[in-house]
Every structure is written in C-alpha cells, then in structure tokens.
Amino acid sequence: MEGHHQQNKRKQQEDMATTITTQKKKRKEVAVFGNYRNYYGYRIGQDSEEDPRLKAMKKEWFEGKDCLDIGCNSGVITIAIAQKFSCRSILGVDIDDARIQDAYWTLRKTVKSTKAAPAKVAKSAELKNVNGIKNNMAESPKKRAKTDSTESHHLQEADLFDIVSFKKGNFVQNWYPGENTSYDTITCLSVSKWVHLNWGDEGLITLFSKVWRLLSPGGVFILEPQPWSSYYNNRLVSETTKINYQEIKIRPKDFQDILLDKIGFRMVEDITSSASGRKPGFNRPIFAFWK
C-alpha cells in the first residue's frame, strides 16, 4: 500500500510540473523595449514576399548610401533594404543582444540562400546548351539582358557581409558611432513608442536630436511612429513604463511639428499610402523627413 501511495504522489507531482510548464509556455512574451523574439513573424506573415513598408521607400534614398536602422530587431528589414536598394553600407542597432544574434543568423541564412541561386541559374543554362545552342541564340536580347541582370543581382547579394552589419547598443542613452561618422539615411520603424515609454518625453527628444546630428546634410529620416492608442496596451510592461505613460505630454500627432520646428528638419513627406498590404494592426503612418 505504501509503495502504491508513493507512486500516486510522484504522479501528482509530475502532473503539477507539466501544468506549470504549460502555463509558462502560454504566458505572453513580455518585451520591455519592444524587442519581441519573433516580431517579423507576425508583422509580415508567412505569405508575404517582402515587408510592405519597403514599397513606401525610394531607391535614391539608399542606393550607394551609408544607412542606419534604429531598433533593427532580427535584421529582416535591414537586410531587405540592403538587397532591394543597393546600399553602400547599412548598420542595424538594437538594445537587445539576443536580437543582434538573431540578426546575424538572418544575415548568414540570407547570404547562404543567395549564393545558392547563381548555381541554379548556371545549371539551367547548361541544360539549355545540351538541348541546343540555337535555343539560347533565339532568345530575345531583352530576355537575355534580364537573365544577366538577375545573375549580377545574386552576385551582389553574396557580398552582403560587406554591406550589412549589426551592433548592440542603447541608441538613446549611450550608443555612438565612430568619430566623424554620419549617415545619408536613417530609419526608425515602430520604435518611437518604446523609446517614449521607457525614457519619456526627454528620451524621445534625445532620439530625434541624435538622428538629426548623425544625418548628413540633405539626409533622409524615415519614421514610422505607433499611434497613442497603442501606448495603452504596453504601459504596464515595467514599472518605468507605467510611470512614464502617466507623465508623457508629447503625443505622436505632435511629432511632425517637433521635428520640423524644434529639431530643424526642413521638409516632410507622408509616404504612408505607398505601403499598402500591411497586416491589420500595423497600418501605421510613415513619414520621410529631410535635413
């Protein structure tokens, strides 16, 4: 009887441990700085080829330029910008070391997949030659040019390690690039709320002022602010955010006036309408400011 009682007790303990583990798994992830582990998984979705926000961005803002992405998370959009717009360089900065490690993993995965692509193109060309050189000669010049362009594009993508880099840092409080470093384009996408909640109005102004100082004359600042209504949902992620939420005086609707009148940006363009196809809950305004 005693042995049977011990077995029942052990089983109850095991069941309790399983219940606790299940509860932990179900517990919602708390990201104090918005540093969600699988942010782009539910932001973009599995059925979308690229982040819809890229549609709002123009190639001339990035091509051959030095760029900075504030709050890069796992680096998905940082890398996509480098690929699509041919940056000279782009640096992604994030406060969370785990997200920076994720970003380098994403970069390695991207480079590996793009290096495999030219081999497939070459194999396809080889098969065409086996079937007869005439097939290749019969191709229109336009079609051949497109193939050549695709191969060149893939070769450029293989050099992403030379273009894209990531660094851990608190941009608002203590991150600074090298001496005399400036950027032609700076992106800050769905980050301003987290700066605002964690460091208040003062932190937000610091963010905007620092961006302005780091931009080259004529440079572009691309900002995607979260609406004030979304602040409420995250106000309790920490004691700090709870306090700051009560004390914040500046609202997202005021950002344009602050950036133009107080920070010193000379012009703004609302580019929101170009970013069609975003998932519900992520239809946020996007602005481009010029220094």
Side-chain angles (χ1 to χ4, degrees), residues 192-193 195-197 199-209 223 225-229 231 244-259 262-263:
S192 56
K193 173 179 74 173
V195 170
H196 214 172
L197 282 173
W199 294 285
D201 289 341
E202 186 178 344
L204 183 78
I205 297 300
T206 299
L207 167 69
F208 292 160
S209 300
L223 175 68
Q226 296 99 319
W228 175 249
S229 58
Y231 282 56
N244 284 336
Y245 177 78
Q246 299 296 331
E247 297 181 351
I248 286 172
K249 299 290 189 294
I250 300 171
R251 298 289 189 267
K253 64 181 176 60
D254 305 320
F255 289 2
Q256 279 194 57
D257 290 340
I258 289 170
L259 285 160
K262 294 186 177 180
I263 304 300

Side-chain angles (χ1 to χ4, degrees), residues 145-160:
K146 187 177 179 181
T147 302
D148 292 341
S149 173
T150 302
E151 290 185 39
S152 173
H153 181 60
H154 285 314
L155 289 172
Q156 288 172 4
E157 287 182 325
D159 298 325
L160 277 174

Side-chain angles (χ1 to χ4, degrees), residues 39-78:
Y39 176 71
Y40 287 105
Y42 54 82
R43 167 100 208 205
I44 302 173
Q46 301 299 321
D47 55 345
S48 181
E49 290 184 7
E50 69 172 22
D51 192 312
R53 292 174 293 182
L54 292 172
K55 298 175 189 174
M57 302 179 193
K58 296 179 181 177
K59 190 164 188 174
E60 59 261 33
W61 298 344
F62 301 95
E63 188 173 23
K65 306 285 179 70
D66 294 314
C67 310
L68 175 67
D69 182 24
I70 302 168
C72 64
N73 197 274
S74 61
V76 172
I77 199 164
T78 318

Side-chain angles (χ1 to χ4, degrees), residues 18-239:
T18 302
T19 302
I20 292 170
T21 302
T22 303
Q23 287 174 346
K24 284 182 178 179
K25 285 181 179 178
K26 288 182 178 179
R27 192 176 297 158
K28 189 176 180 181
E29 178 186 10
V30 176
V32 177
F33 304 108
N35 49 320
Y36 297 102
R37 186 172 182 271
N38 192 35
Y39 176 71
Y40 287 105
Y42 54 82
R43 167 100 208 205
I44 302 173
Q46 301 299 321
D47 55 345
S48 181
E49 290 184 7
E50 69 172 22
D51 192 312
R53 292 174 293 182
L54 292 172
K55 298 175 189 174
M57 302 179 193
K58 296 179 181 177
K59 190 164 188 174
E60 59 261 33
W61 298 344
F62 301 95
E63 188 173 23
K65 306 285 179 70
D66 294 314
C67 310
L68 175 67
D69 182 24
I70 302 168
C72 64
N73 197 274
S74 61
V76 172
I77 199 164
T78 318
I79 296 166
I81 287 171
Q83 287 181 296
K84 184 168 183 173
F85 301 123
S86 305
C87 307
R88 177 165 62 187
S89 72
I90 185 165
L91 170 64
V93 176
D94 199 276
I95 197 169
D96 188 346
D97 185 60
R99 298 294 76 79
I100 293 297
Q101 297 305 315
D102 289 344
Y104 272 114
W105 181 88
T106 306
L107 181 59
R108 288 192 297 271
K109 181 183 175 185
T110 304
V111 169
K112 186 177 179 182
S113 64
T114 53
K115 277 185 176 180
K120 291 179 181 177
V121 172
K123 184 69 176 175
S124 175
E126 186 181 325
L127 288 172
K128 281 184 181 179
N129 287 334
V130 170
N131 291 330
I133 297 174
K134 286 184 180 179
N135 289 342
N136 190 44
M137 294 298 291
E139 281 184 348
S140 68
K142 187 175 180 181
K143 187 175 180 182
R144 286 202 302 274
K146 187 177 179 181
T147 302
D148 292 341
S149 173
T150 302
E151 290 185 39
S152 173
H153 181 60
H154 285 314
L155 289 172
Q156 288 172 4
E157 287 182 325
D159 298 325
L160 277 174
F161 281 133
D162 298 326
I163 299 167
V164 182
S165 59
F166 299 100
K167 283 186 180 177
K168 176 186 180 295
N170 183 330
F171 183 84
V172 172
Q173 291 201 312
N174 52 35
W175 181 84
Y176 294 93
E179 194 174 349
N180 299 322
T181 299
S182 62
Y183 299 95
D184 301 296
T185 302
I186 297 178
T187 58
C188 184
L189 307 174
S190 288
V191 171
S192 56
K193 173 179 74 173
W194 299 105
V195 170
H196 214 172
L197 282 173
N198 281 283
W199 294 285
D201 289 341
E202 186 178 344
L204 183 78
I205 297 300
T206 299
L207 167 69
F208 292 160
S209 300
K210 196 168 181 178
V211 166
W212 192 88
R213 290 197 305 271
L214 288 174
L215 270 176
S216 302
V220 185
F221 174 41
I222 301 170
L223 175 68
E224 180 192 35
Q226 296 99 319
W228 175 249
S229 58
S230 75
Y231 282 56
Y232 180 84
N233 299 331
N234 301 108
R235 74 196 189 285
L236 301 178
V237 295
S238 73
E239 193 61 33

